[in-house]
Amino acid sequence: MSTQVDRATTAAQGAATRAGDHPVIEWGARLGYAASGVLHLVIAWLAVQIATGSGGQASQSGALAAVAHQPFGLFLLWVLAIGFALLAIWQVTELFTAREAFDKAKAGGKAVMYAALSYTSFVFALGGHTSSNKQTQDFTHTLMDAPAGRVLIGVVGLGVIGIALYHVYKGWKQKFLSDLQEHPGRWAVVAARVGYIGKGIALLAVGVLFIAAAFHHQVGKTTGLDGALKSLRDLLAGQAILIGVALGLAAYGIYSFARARYARV
């Protein structure tokens, strides 16, 4: 029985390796990283609008809605949807081929994230609309209604904070270089360091909002990235902080284009 399981596992890993090495999937993964770059640049622009009091919704859905209203926006939405879908597929192959549990968990989480981004992009490309803020609130409300719901929301908040701190660590220590097949150049390294740290700060604010929602039993405050950025704006010197985070998100977007070229896929 054990031998049969081992053979099945080996066969699955072999199939995943062949799929991950397919030129279409490799090209698609690079397209997905470029799509991530576009998304982060648009979110950074929306964050600046929030900082200056011009309104806007600095979330994935807000960014995609902004893209939809641009010239050639529909075409770009289809490109983003396809890129995120292929990147999600590549992450699934990584899930099967990774050896360490941490790497498997990371690949699985990214596969879900990129699949969700692909779905949202398809919705906008087809003329529909969705709200990341409402999805986050609905998710939090569902957890709140579950047994030990406030504890679950707190755990989610701690998980997001852990991811945020990992982003800061990865940027500060330049651990992102291990994701690349060769050195991307000084400008890309600077962009990556600023980008990972800036994105980490934004995610840290998201995690804090989840914990605050659990503590105060206020689901309405958990509106994901958009709510987190708006909470940063309300701090002392919040406008300057938010513009700094926006620059970090823009830097991450710029690095994503370099990653599309140099990623180890």
Side-chain angles (χ1 to χ4, degrees), residues 30 33 176-185 187-188 255-265:
R30 297 187 189 281
Y33 285 126
F176 52 84
L177 291 175
S178 63
D179 298 329
L180 310 177
Q181 59 188 7
E182 59 182 277
H183 199 284
W187 69 269
Y255 164 69
S256 295
F257 293 117
R259 189 173 185 179
R261 166 65 178 82
Y262 296 103
R264 192 186 301 276
V265 297

Side-chain angles (χ1 to χ4, degrees), residues 3-264:
T3 303
Q4 291 178 340
V5 172
D6 291 341
R7 288 177 178 174
T9 301
T10 301
Q13 290 175 339
T17 299
R18 290 191 295 273
D21 291 339
H22 194 283
V24 173
I25 301 300
E26 289 188 357
W27 175 84
R30 297 187 189 281
L31 177 62
Y33 285 126
S36 178
V38 172
L39 193 67
H40 279 84
L41 286 175
V42 177
I43 292 176
W45 173 63
L46 293 172
V48 171
Q49 286 191 314
I50 291 174
T52 57
S54 302
Q57 184 184 116
S59 62
Q60 290 90 343
S61 61
L64 293 172
V67 169
H69 288 90
Q70 302 306 310
F72 306 106
L74 182 61
F75 170 76
L76 185 54
L77 284 172
W78 281 105
V79 173
L80 294 177
I82 293 170
F84 286 133
L86 292 173
L87 184 52
I89 293 172
W90 181 74
Q91 291 291 349
V92 171
T93 67
E94 289 291 286
L95 172 63
F96 282 98
T97 57
R99 295 184 177 181
E100 300 293 333
F102 175 76
D103 293 333
K104 286 182 178 293
K106 186 168 67 171
K110 287 184 177 182
V112 172
M113 178 185 69
Y114 290 126
L117 286 173
S118 177
Y119 170 77
T120 305
S121 300
F122 275 122
V123 169
F124 279 94
L126 293 170
H129 180 77
T130 185
S131 171
S132 298
N133 289 358
K134 186 176 185 303
Q135 290 173 348
T136 304
Q137 286 181 330
D138 290 344
F139 169 73
T140 309
H141 195 279
T142 300
L143 286 183
M144 190 71 79
D145 290 341
R150 294 173 69 178
V151 174
L152 291 175
I153 293 173
V155 169
V156 170
L158 290 174
V160 174
I161 289 175
I163 294 172
L165 295 177
Y166 176 72
H167 272 72
V168 174
Y169 168 77
K170 189 172 183 178
W172 185 257
K173 293 293 186 179
Q174 301 185 38
K175 294 296 183 179
F176 52 84
L177 291 175
S178 63
D179 298 329
L180 310 177
Q181 59 188 7
E182 59 182 277
H183 199 284
R186 178 175 173 78
W187 69 269
V189 170
V190 172
R193 294 191 75 182
V194 174
Y196 271 103
I197 292 172
K199 187 173 181 179
I201 293 172
L203 290 174
L204 184 63
V206 174
V208 169
L209 284 185
F210 271 105
I211 292 177
F215 186 78
H216 296 292
H217 207 282
Q218 294 178 320
V219 175
K221 291 188 175 182
T222 54
T223 52
L225 181 60
D226 179 64
L229 294 179
K230 287 175 179 175
S231 69
L232 290 176
R233 180 195 56 190
D234 296 335
L235 298 175
L236 184 64
Q239 186 181 50
I241 294 173
L242 184 50
I243 290 177
V245 171
L247 291 175
L249 292 172
Y252 188 90
I254 292 171
Y255 164 69
S256 295
F257 293 117
R259 189 173 185 179
R261 166 65 178 82
Y262 296 103
R264 192 186 301 276

